[in-house]
Every structure is written in structure tokens, then in C-alpha cells.
């Protein structure tokens, strides 16, 4: 009988920025010889999304200071379950396991890094340096993130792998509603040319710049519309700008929508104006929907798009985004459709789920061998 490989995936909370990835990893290891459990440190509403999952129900205060309660609960749980592999997401789960694995000796620990801000503090770098052992390995979600890890943590290249995010293309494609259905649900004009974006409403996502760019665009094309799907702390600021500049008929903030990707067919062009972006999973969703893309030339975005899409300098300059949007409006429709088809082909070639899953399984097998 093949030995069961027991895996713990450790997450802080139901962070929308990483939930899709944690689900993909859970799916990767759902069959024998693997047995994976996804554990959330904070309470979550997403336990049903995983075959095996639970929450430690820790408070935010439990993950500050010495974190003794969190350390004790996690230590007892890991000691009881005897995991072969632990996969962490973001710094706090990483820090907890760096501390505990000196006593637990879990054979393989893999830390997934999602962006460029995890190790800006010296304290965090020292934590990695003091807790590092042969049991540990880092995964960057894009080549730029992996390069950041190499520069910042001064680790050997063999200690860092790149595994791109992926989407279940078939499942996603069958989830798309038609353009007519999507526009009706979002309150968009059925005949308008629609630009749109999906993302948390936080300053780094660049949505105010996008609205300002669209404000320039509608001077020449008054029948276009812009929709931004997502919620967050920047919502009041964006609404105030829209109201102050009388853009309510042209710009819509939908708020958070579950399974927002299913509505992507409402758009003619997808825009991602982020100031920083480790990867940009929503780009894969737009590629699956066969949309042309305008995006910031930053972080992992150029890596995702390759030579395709239209890249814009992410510095706060609405005119550059407006120029890109106006160019899309002036392009022949056949050129736009060809760009979208090429982006969809790149998605299938580079970011498919089977490729993602095999790469993850190969990494776990390799790390278990090397740590034994």
C-alpha cells in the first residue's frame, strides 16, 4: 500500500487575493496518495469550498506580539496530525511554522509568496534567517516575485521555485453568462462599449486613476461606460469623485459580487490599473473570457500577458490609460478579436490547471526526497 502523504495548507483568513490559489492547491492534492487539510487561523465563511477545512477561530490580537495562543494551538494540532508537508500563505503563517518546526520537524515546509511587500521589514528577514533549515522552500507566484525573494532574502536559487497561478479554464468558461445577461445584472446599457475591472477597492489597485482616465475618454466617446466590480476601503473616495464630477450615468461601482468572473462577458475591454501586482489572477479570468486587455506595466503583469495586451506605465497618469482606451475604441473590431484569441491561447499554453497541478506535485515529491 502506498504511504499516505498528509498536507496542511495554512492560511490567515478568507483573503480574496489568495482564495482562488488555495482552492487550486487543495484540488491538486485531493486524491491518493495525498490527503490535504486547509486550515484558517481566523474565522472564515469559505470552509465549504474545500474537501477538508477548518478554522482555529483565532482573534486578530492572537496573531500580534508573542502569538503564544496561536503557537500553542498550531503546535498541538500539528503534533497530533503528524503532517508530512505544510504549505503556508503570507508572512504570519510562515512565521508561526518557522518557529514551530524547530520542534515539530515537519519534513517539508513550503511558503507561497504572493507579492513584493512580505519582507520589507528587517524583522521579517531576520525571522527567515533564524528559522531557516533544509526543510524549507519558497514558491513565488511569478518570476518577478521569485526574483524579489532571491534579492531580498539572499537565498540560493535552488531554495526558490516559481509556480504560476492557474485557473480551471473549462470550469470558468462554462460559468460565463452571456453579454446580455451580464449587462442586465450589472445595470449596464446593452449597446454601450464597456470598459471594466475587477478587484479590491484599495489605493494600490489604481481605480481612481482608471476613473480619471475614463473621464477623459468619454469626452470623445460619450456613450461608453465603465464598471468596477469589488468592495473595499476606497469605495467612499471613489463614489465621492464620481458624484463630484457628475459621472454617475457612465461609471458604476457594483460592490463585491461573488463569482464576479462569470460576468466578464459584459465587457468589451478589461482594464487592470494596479500600481503593484505580484501576478494578477483576474487577468487569467479575462483571458478565458476572450477579452482584450489594458494593464499596468508592473510586477508580474507583463509576465502574465507576454507580448500581448496593452501595457501602461502604472504611475498616476490618467492620460496614458485614456490613450490606451481611446486606441481600443478606434481599433478595427477584427484586430481586437484577434488579440483576445491570442491571449486565450496563451492562457491555455501557460496557465492551465493540469500544468499547475503537475508542477506542484513534482515539487512536493522532490522536497520530500531531499528532506528525508
Amino acid at each position: 500500500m502506498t504511504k499516505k502523504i498528509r498536507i496542511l495548507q495554512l492560511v490567515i483568513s478568507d483573503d480574496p487575493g489568495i482564495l482562488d490559489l488555495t482552492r487550486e492547491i487543495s484540488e491538486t492534492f485531493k486524491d491518493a496518495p495525498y490527503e490535504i487539510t486547509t486550515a484558517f487561523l481566523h474565522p472564515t465563511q469559505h470552509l465549504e469550498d474545500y474537501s477538508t477545512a477548518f478554522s482555529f477561530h483565532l482573534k486578530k490580537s492572537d496573531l500580534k506580539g508573542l502569538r503564544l495562543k496561536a503557537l500553542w494551538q498550531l503546535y498541538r494540532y500539528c503534533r497530533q496530525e503528524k503532517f508530512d508537508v505544510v504549505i503556508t500563505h503570507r508572512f504570519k503563517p510562515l512565521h508561526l511554522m518557522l518557529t514551530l518546526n524547530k520542534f515539530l520537524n515537519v519534513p517539508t515546509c513550503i511558503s507561497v509568496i504572493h507579492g513584493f511587500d512580505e519582507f520589507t521589514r528587517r524583522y521579517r528577514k531576520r525571522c527567515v534567517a533564524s528559522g531557516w533549515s533544509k526543510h524549507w522552500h519558497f514558491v513565488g507566484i511569478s518570476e518577478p516575485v521569485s526574483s524579489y525573494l532571491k534579492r531580498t532574502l539572499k537565498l540560493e536559487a535552488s531554495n526558490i521555485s516559481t509556480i504560476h497561478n492557474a485557473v480551471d479554464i473549462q470550469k470558468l468558461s462554462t460559468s460565463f453568462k452571456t453579454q446580455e445577461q451580464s449587462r442586465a445584472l450589472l445595470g449596464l446599457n446593452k449597446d454601450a462599449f464597456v470598459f471594466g475591472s475587477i478587484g479590491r477597492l484599495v489605493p494600490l489597485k489604481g481605480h481612481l486613476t482608471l476613473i480619471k482616465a475614463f473621464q477623459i475618454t468619454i469626452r470623445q466617446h460619450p456613450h461608453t461606460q465603465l464598471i468596477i466590480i469589488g468592495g473595499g476601503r476606497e469605495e467612499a473616495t471613489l463614489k465621492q469623485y464620481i458624484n463630484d464630477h457628475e459621472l454617475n450615468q457612465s461609471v458604476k461601482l457594483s460592490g463585491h459580487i461573488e463569482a464576479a468572473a462569470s460576468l466578464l462577458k459584459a465587457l468589451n475591454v478589461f482594464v487592470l490599473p494596479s500600481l503593484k501586482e505580484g501576478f494578477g489572477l483576474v487577468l487569467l479570468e479575462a483571458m478565458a473570457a476572450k477579452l482584450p486587455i489594458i494593464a499596468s506595466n508592473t510586477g508580474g503583469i507583463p509576465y502574465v500577458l507576454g507580448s500581448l495586451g496593452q501595457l501602461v506605465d502604472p504611475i498616476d497618469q490618467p492620460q496614458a490609460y485614456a490613450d490606451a482606451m481611446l486606441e481600443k475604441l478606434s481599433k478595427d473590431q477584427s484586430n481586437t478579436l484577434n488579440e483576445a484569441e491570442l491571449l486565450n491561447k496563451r492562457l491555455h499554453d501557460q496557465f492551465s490547471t493540469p500544468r499547475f497541478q503537475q508542477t506542484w506535485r513534482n515539487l512536493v515529491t522532490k522536497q520530500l526526497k531531499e528532506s528525508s
Side-chain angles (χ1 to χ4, degrees):
M1 182 182 290
T2 303
K3 181 185 180 296
K4 189 180 293 183
I5 299 173
R6 306 201 67 221
I7 301 173
L8 172 67
Q9 180 172 218
L10 192 60
V11 188
I12 301 174
S13 62
D14 44 3
D15 179 344
I18 66 172
L19 276 178
D20 287 331
L21 178 56
T22 60
R23 291 188 194 106
E24 290 293 339
I25 292 174
S26 180
E27 283 292 305
T28 297
F29 296 108
K30 70 177 182 178
D31 298 320
Y34 308 102
E35 181 182 277
I36 186 166
T37 299
T38 300
F40 292 82
L41 295 173
H42 293 321
T44 176
Q45 298 178 343
H46 293 275
L47 296 181
E48 68 280 0
D49 295 348
Y50 304 84
S51 55
T52 305
F54 77 97
S55 168
F56 285 102
H57 289 283
L58 293 166
K59 300 174 183 176
K60 288 187 177 181
S61 59
D62 295 328
L63 291 178
K64 294 180 179 179
L66 295 176
R67 301 170 182 165
L68 294 178
K69 182 177 179 180
L71 286 164
W72 177 239
Q73 287 195 20
L74 185 56
Y75 173 78
R76 283 196 309 172
Y77 180 70
C78 290
R79 189 73 181 266
Q80 173 186 310
E81 299 296 328
K82 295 182 171 57
F83 293 106
D84 302 291
V85 180
V86 174
I87 300 170
T88 68
H89 295 269
R90 303 220 186 276
F91 178 75
K92 288 181 180 177
L94 164 63
H95 185 211
L96 292 172
M97 286 306 304
L98 281 169
T99 302
L100 292 177
N101 211 44
K102 296 174 183 177
F103 310 99
L104 292 167
N105 289 314
V106 176
T108 291
C109 297
I110 299 171
S111 176
V112 183
I113 304 301
H114 298 257
F116 305 101
D117 298 320
E118 295 287 8
F119 301 103
T120 51
R121 302 179 203 169
R122 291 181 183 177
Y123 163 73
R124 293 188 171 191
K125 296 176 191 175
R126 289 198 300 269
C127 288
V128 173
S130 64
W132 187 261
S133 71
K134 69 173 185 176
H135 301 292
W136 279 95
H137 192 84
F138 279 103
V139 167
I141 62 169
S142 67
E143 290 290 353
V145 172
S146 294
S147 296
Y148 159 77
L149 290 171
K150 291 169 190 174
R151 289 192 313 271
T152 306
L153 299 179
K154 311 297 183 187
L155 295 174
E156 297 293 329
S158 60
N159 296 134
I160 301 169
S161 299
T162 301
I163 304 182
H164 319 128
N165 286 346
V167 291
D168 186 329
I169 301 170
Q170 183 177 2
K171 182 179 178 182
L172 187 58
S173 297
T174 57
S175 76
F176 290 133
K177 293 178 171 56
T178 65
Q179 184 179 92
E180 184 178 1
Q181 291 169 333
S182 301
R183 291 191 174 188
L185 288 167
L186 293 169
L188 297 167
N189 296 340
K190 64 178 183 179
D191 298 321
F193 191 101
V194 180
F195 295 94
S197 191
I198 300 175
R200 290 175 298 128
L201 302 186
V202 295
L204 276 178
K205 293 298 182 180
H207 293 122
L208 184 57
T209 298
L210 174 57
I211 293 170
K212 290 178 179 178
F214 182 74
Q215 188 179 2
I216 298 170
T217 304
I218 58 171
R219 292 172 191 161
Q220 294 185 41
H221 296 272
H223 300 297
T224 57
Q225 287 189 293
L226 170 66
I227 183 158
I228 300 172
I229 302 174
R233 67 178 188 271
E234 191 81 348
E235 185 170 357
T237 301
L238 299 180
K239 282 183 175 178
Q240 188 65 54
Y241 188 90
I242 291 167
N243 289 331
D244 290 349
H245 294 84
E246 299 180 348
L247 296 169
N248 292 287
Q249 296 304 309
S250 302
V251 180
K252 292 186 177 293
L253 302 180
S254 73
H256 174 74
I257 298 176
E258 285 293 331
S262 67
L263 303 173
L264 276 168
K265 292 285 189 179
L267 311 182
N268 295 97
V269 176
F270 183 82
V271 189
L272 186 63
S274 301
L275 301 178
K276 283 185 180 181
E277 196 72 59
F279 183 87
L281 185 64
V282 70
L283 291 172
L284 303 188
E285 295 169 340
M287 292 158 80
K290 296 187 178 181
L291 294 176
I293 294 171
I294 299 169
S296 299
N297 188 10
T298 185
I301 291 175
Y303 183 78
V304 174
L305 297 181
S307 60
L308 304 169
Q310 194 163 352
L311 295 176
V312 177
D313 192 320
I315 296 172
D316 186 10
Q317 46 176 344
Q319 186 62 54
Y321 286 95
D323 290 344
M325 294 162 85
L326 289 166
E327 185 176 335
K328 290 290 187 240
L329 283 160
S330 65
K331 264 190 174 181
D332 183 87
Q333 185 66 17
S334 61
N335 290 336
T336 301
L337 290 173
N338 183 54
E339 177 192 330
E341 288 290 342
L342 290 172
L343 282 164
N344 186 260
K345 182 178 185 301
R346 177 169 173 78
L347 171 68
H348 282 266
D349 291 344
Q350 299 294 325
F351 306 108
S352 67
T353 298
R355 180 173 179 158
F356 169 90
Q357 292 179 339
Q358 191 58 56
T359 306
W360 261 104
R361 286 193 285 259
N362 289 345
L363 175 64
V364 165
T365 300
K366 176 175 176 288
Q367 292 306 118
L368 282 171
K369 280 183 180 178
E370 290 182 358
S371 62
S372 61

